[in-house]
Each structure stands twice: as structure tokens, then as C-alpha cells.
Amino acid sequence: MTDSDGRPHQGPAGSDGEPVYADRVYRSVPGVISGVLLLAVAAWLIGDAALNGTGKTPWVSLAAVPVFAFPVIAYTLRPAVRANDRRLVVRNPLRTITAPWAAVDALRAGYSVELLAEGKKYQVWAVPVSLRQRKRAARAQDRGGRPQHTSRLGMVFGGGGSSSGPGVQGSADPTRAWSDQVVNVLQEMAERNASRPEAAGPIEVRWCWWIIAPTLAGLVALIAVIAA
């Protein structure tokens, strides 16, 4: 949430007297759009098969609904990253990783975005890496003579998107690729908030059973209908 001047919405003061801001949320807009389109096309095809099909076709099409719909939701609509002054929440297709900032070792963007915490590595599905954006940014930086950005931990991130690409609030260089901007902002949040008492604690990993269970049940039902 932001104020009228574009800054994050300021809430009540925290325990250290500093203002508490609403969560920053990052997700892939193309991923969400593709998920909505896939679900719309599937609904049309499955609906047509259920209403107009003959024999086992209507039952097979209905049994296929959870087998198709829940994985699409998991891999396109569900992934998201939420960050505040206490923790980072990474919502992947089948798992949710909650990492207090004190437990975060680093975030890095190579061919994919990764969270390193407590000696383990977690993929960040909600922030896909675009090599095309990086190449465009590298060409733009060569023309403008801009230096490569290095974080305070000595991590060097790849180039970013073109000047016409999406900007990330808080990013020092809006011309970089969207994924690299997000990683830079999250890395700076980790460095800034790791010493907060409320940012301590272990990492929590939870499986998304409301995706897994219906998918498996639908698969069993689909196999049973086909074999009947």
C-alpha cells in the first residue's frame, strides 16, 4: 500500500521507534496473466466436453479438472514474495518458506533467483530471471557508461532491464532487469533488518496441501474413470 506521494503506507511505530510499513509484494505479472488464460481456455474446453461429450468423455473431463486446474494455479497464480521489516515469505508452487531476516544469508540472481538461508538453498519462483532484459540493460549501460552495481555484501548482480522496463520501488537502478531490482531491494532489506530483535527465529517450511491433495485425488479419480 502506498500514500498519495507514492511512498509505502506508514503504519504505527515499531518497538525501536521507527515506522512500520506495509509488506512489499512481488510476483510475476506475465505468469499471472498466462495462468488466467490457461484456466479460461481449460474451462471452455472441459465445459464443452462435459456438456456435449458422449460415453465416458463427460466423466473423464470432470475428473481432469483438479489434475489440470490446481497445478496451473500452483505454478502461475500462487507464487509470490512478501517482505516486511521482520521477515521474508517466499510462496512457491508447493511450499511456503518463511525466513526471518536474521536467518537469511543472501539472495542471488543467476539463471534463477535463489534464497540462501541456514545453509540451505530455496528457489524463488515468483521472481523469474529474464536474460533478454539483462542483455538490453547491458547494451543500455554500455551506451551510457553506467557502472555495474555491487551490494554492500560484495555481491555483484547482473545487468537490468531497459529504461522502459518495470521499475521496483526502492531500487537504486531502475534500468536493470526486474528480477535483479527485486533481489537488490530484498538484499538491502536483509542487511538493514537482520539485527532487529523481532527479525530473529528459525526458518519455517510448510507444504501447500490444498494444492497437493486435490491434485492427487483428481489423478486417482481420472485413472479410475479411464480404467472403468
Side-chain angles (χ1 to χ4, degrees), residues 104-129:
V104 174
D105 299 322
L107 288 114
R108 65 187 183 191
Y111 291 105
S112 63
V113 174
E114 297 172 339
L115 165 66
L116 306 179
E118 294 184 345
K120 296 182 179 180
K121 179 172 66 175
Y122 304 93
Q123 299 293 323
V124 182
W125 282 76
V127 187
V129 171

Side-chain angles (χ1 to χ4, degrees), residues 7-95:
R7 293 178 300 179
H9 175 71
Q10 181 174 318
S15 59
D16 56 2
E18 295 185 2
V20 177
Y21 295 99
D23 289 3
R24 295 175 184 262
V25 181
Y26 305 99
R27 67 196 322 153
S28 171
V29 174
V32 172
I33 293 174
S34 64
V36 171
L37 292 177
L38 283 172
L39 290 175
V41 172
W44 175 60
L45 294 176
I46 292 175
D48 180 69
L51 294 174
N52 302 318
T54 59
K56 292 194 298 184
T57 300
W59 301 107
V60 170
S61 61
L62 291 176
V65 170
V67 178
F68 179 82
F70 282 98
V72 168
I73 293 172
Y75 285 90
T76 61
L77 304 183
R78 174 176 154 78
V81 172
R82 303 180 68 92
N84 55 33
D85 60 346
R86 295 178 293 108
R87 63 185 183 180
L88 174 70
V89 179
V90 177
R91 201 168 67 188
N92 282 339
L94 301 180
R95 296 192 301 177

